[in-house]
Amino acid sequence: MDLFETPLNPNKRLKEEFVSNLMGSSMLEIAALSTIVPGLVVLRKWSSSCSLNDYKQKNLAKKGKNVKPSPKGLGSHLVALALDYITVTFPILLFFTLLAEWCYQFGILVVLVFIFRMAWKRPESKGERSHFSSFRNIVSSYRVSVVVVTCLCILAVDFKIFPRRYAKTETYGTSLMDLGVGSFVMVNALTSKQARDFKSLNLKAALQSISPLILLGFGRLISTTGVDYQVHVGEYGVHWNFFFTLAAVSILTSFIQIHPRYCGLLGVLILSGYQIVLAFGLSEFLTSSKREPNLISQNKEGIFSIFGYWGMYLIGVYFGHKLLVRANSSGKDVDNQFLRIKIWGLAAIFWTLTVILDNYVERVSRRMCNMAYVTIVLAQNFQVLSVLTLADSQDNLVFEDTFNQNLLGSFLLANILTGMVNLSVDTLSASPATALIILVAYSFVLCFSVGMASFFGIRFKFW
């Protein structure tokens, strides 16, 4: 009898309190981290040009043979994965934990390396411009960066080694983890069928694309309730979760379809109207801890923030069409510097808008997905994209290719592993050394599981 009375998650309340009432960090620190993460990817790509694998590929290319960017043999594949893990994933983990206080210094160092590299780089030839003109791999790197950072943070946040300022804010403020759901929405928008100017989806195709997200949303709700897993109610609500938000945005976008060139204007109108409603009382309702016994009040954060995420998605579709898809499909040589300036310029514009909105309209709030939150997500995501354009390489890293083939599968695996760790380890009592060992083991298992699935052609896609 005692066995059945023992709770599966005895520290549930303490773990929920551990991630509650947090204020976040500064925008400057977010900008520094948004330079370090893609900067590590770029540095790895620069160094990989000297690797044995690239050397072999270049020799094969000289002989007129077609080659793939990823190694063919299992041994070579594992070696490449290990090198990518050591030079990219592991350092990112360190900067989210032990080296968090050094993010400004390392961010400055990365910028200096970039400046030095660009200053000493030889002028581009016409052929190199066309080599750069494909944005497919840049967007691929961007998508993988978002997923990897999210996968690392969802477990790290449960340990004391993870700075509290990086965890999600309670109501207002900016933090690393606040940008997660917004970045996922932007990733989906930039690479969406709508951004690629596909024809309108029919009802069957729309439902087929949305149904997995709805199933995953209910699956998460049932599983977290069944094992008494800790859930911060102030994040989305009592029953709502990340997958329901993505599904809701997909539903709105599928049933209200317009040409991507008009999506930006519609997104701005939706965000402006939503911000006005927030100013006339909705903000007070959403930030209140009082909840009535009905589904809307119980899940008010998740339901009303849909309008903010929808507006953000539409703006992402517009830029995905104008900047990325159109440039990638033009078939013409593209001026490297001009493209970089455009993307860096967008990042600067949205950072400026964020500061203005945060100071004079309403502070950034992930909980409500207000206009300031949308602009900081756009600013941070365009900053990551702009850093990745510095790689000057059409070839992605092996770990990028493996994650890109199973983005949803890798995220689900990360959630399962996170749940297993939380139900079997007292994360709050773990020492820094123990926490780091667990996080390294977790990230290693995740990366190599996804890598092996990719090597053997296993794809998590059931729709």
Side-chain angles (χ1 to χ4, degrees):
M1 192 69 180
D2 292 338
L3 178 63
F4 293 99
E5 292 178 353
T6 303
L8 290 173
N9 192 7
N11 294 321
K12 176 185 176 182
R13 185 180 61 81
L14 293 175
K15 290 181 177 180
E16 288 176 346
E17 291 176 354
F18 188 58
V19 295
S20 301
N21 302 314
L22 302 176
M23 304 300 293
S25 60
S26 67
M27 293 184 191
L28 186 60
E29 188 167 20
I30 298 299
L33 292 171
S34 301
T35 302
I36 291 173
V37 172
L40 289 168
V41 175
V42 172
L43 292 174
R44 168 61 181 150
K45 286 188 175 184
W46 286 348
S47 65
S48 67
S49 62
C50 301
S51 68
L52 178 62
N53 180 57
D54 285 338
Y55 175 75
K56 290 179 178 178
Q57 290 190 39
K58 288 178 181 178
N59 284 341
L60 289 172
K62 289 178 181 178
K63 296 177 182 179
K65 298 182 180 180
N66 294 324
V67 294
K68 296 181 179 180
S70 59
K72 294 182 179 180
L74 178 59
S76 300
H77 186 72
L78 292 175
V79 168
L81 276 176
L83 288 173
D84 291 344
Y85 177 84
I86 292 171
T87 57
V88 180
T89 308
F90 181 63
I92 291 175
L93 180 60
L94 289 180
F95 280 105
F96 290 167
T97 53
L98 294 179
L99 301 180
E101 304 303 324
W102 292 83
C103 70
Y104 292 116
Q105 291 87 335
F106 194 79
I108 294 172
L109 179 61
V110 169
V111 171
L112 291 176
V113 171
F114 287 160
I115 293 174
F116 180 80
R117 164 86 178 200
M118 299 304 293
W120 287 88
K121 184 182 173 185
R122 63 182 177 82
E124 297 171 333
S125 65
K126 184 177 180 180
E128 286 175 322
R129 282 196 193 122
S130 61
H131 182 71
F132 177 85
S133 65
S134 175
F135 271 83
R136 183 181 300 274
N137 291 322
I138 295 173
V139 176
S140 170
S141 296
Y142 156 70
R143 295 169 67 192
V144 172
S145 298
V146 171
V147 171
V148 169
V149 168
T150 304
C151 290
L152 292 177
C153 288
I154 59 175
L155 177 58
V157 70
D158 295 317
F159 293 93
K160 292 182 178 179
I161 196 175
F162 187 81
R164 292 300 87 198
R165 64 183 184 276
Y166 289 174
K168 291 180 179 178
T169 57
E170 185 69 19
T171 304
Y172 293 104
T174 56
S175 76
L176 175 66
M177 290 194 70
D178 274 345
L179 300 172
V181 61
S183 296
F184 266 91
V185 170
M186 277 296 295
V187 165
N188 290 341
L190 289 172
T191 59
S192 65
K193 290 183 178 180
Q194 190 174 3
R196 285 176 276 162
D197 203 13
F198 277 29
K199 299 299 181 182
S200 298
L201 292 174
N202 56 41
L203 180 61
K204 182 179 178 180
L207 291 175
Q208 187 177 15
S209 65
I210 296 165
S211 58
L213 293 172
I214 297 176
L215 291 174
L216 289 171
F218 280 107
R220 177 174 172 79
L221 175 61
I222 294 170
S223 61
T224 53
T225 303
V227 300
D228 199 28
Y229 197 75
Q230 68 267 14
V231 176
H232 185 204
V233 175
E235 188 174 345
Y236 294 105
V238 178
H239 312 100
W240 203 267
N241 60 53
F242 166 81
F243 295 110
F244 287 144
T245 294
L246 293 184
V249 171
S250 297
I251 290 172
L252 288 170
T253 308
S254 298
F255 288 93
I256 305 176
Q257 297 189 16
I258 61 174
H259 194 279
R261 72 166 64 99
Y262 304 118
C263 283
L265 176 60
L266 178 59
V268 171
L269 292 176
I270 291 171
L271 288 173
S272 299
Y274 178 55
Q275 187 63 53
I276 292 172
V277 176
L278 285 172
F280 280 89
L282 184 59
S283 289
E284 185 178 353
F285 170 68
L286 295 180
T287 56
S288 171
S289 59
K290 183 180 179 181
R291 296 179 189 273
E292 300 295 333
N294 59 73
L295 283 176
I296 293 179
S297 181
Q298 292 281 300
N299 303 283
K300 55 186 179 180
E301 297 91 347
I303 293 173
F304 286 99
S305 65
I306 290 171
F307 295 100
Y309 288 115
W310 185 28
M312 179 196 299
Y313 184 91
L314 291 171
I315 293 174
V317 167
Y318 171 79
F319 285 115
H321 177 69
K322 297 290 288 186
L323 278 179
L324 307 180
V325 176
R326 182 172 287 185
N328 192 38
S329 61
S330 63
K332 300 178 182 179
D333 291 349
V334 180
D335 188 341
N336 280 13
Q337 300 303 325
F338 181 65
L339 283 173
R340 285 178 184 146
I341 290 171
K342 285 174 68 175
I343 299 177
W344 274 110
L346 284 171
I349 289 171
F350 284 117
W351 274 119
T352 303
L353 284 174
T354 300
V355 173
I356 294 172
L357 291 170
D358 185 68
N359 282 280
Y360 300 104
V361 179
E362 185 178 38
R363 290 196 64 200
V364 174
S365 176
R366 171 206 49 82
R367 189 170 177 174
M368 293 179 281
C369 192
N370 59 4
M371 188 173 285
Y373 174 75
V374 172
T375 57
I376 195 173
V377 169
L378 289 165
Q380 186 264 343
N381 279 263
F382 277 117
Q383 181 180 337
V384 171
L385 270 171
S386 59
V387 173
L388 290 172
T389 63
L390 300 175
D392 287 337
S393 172
Q394 211 168 9
D395 297 331
N396 280 337
L397 302 175
V398 172
F399 102 98
E400 290 179 317
D401 286 333
T402 58
F403 268 90
N404 200 47
Q405 291 175 25
N406 260 315
L407 285 176
L408 180 58
S410 60
F411 181 67
L412 291 177
L413 176 59
N415 276 269
I416 293 171
L417 293 174
T418 297
M420 292 172 61
V421 171
N422 268 280
L423 293 175
S424 57
V425 176
D426 183 3
T427 57
L428 297 181
S429 300
S431 66
T434 301
L436 186 61
I437 291 172
I438 293 173
L439 290 172
V440 169
Y442 157 79
S443 59
F444 183 87
V445 170
L446 176 65
C447 289
F448 277 81
S449 296
V450 175
M452 292 302 291
S454 172
F455 182 82
F456 289 107
I458 300 172
R459 297 195 66 187
F460 185 82
K461 191 175 179 70
F462 52 85
W463 65 95

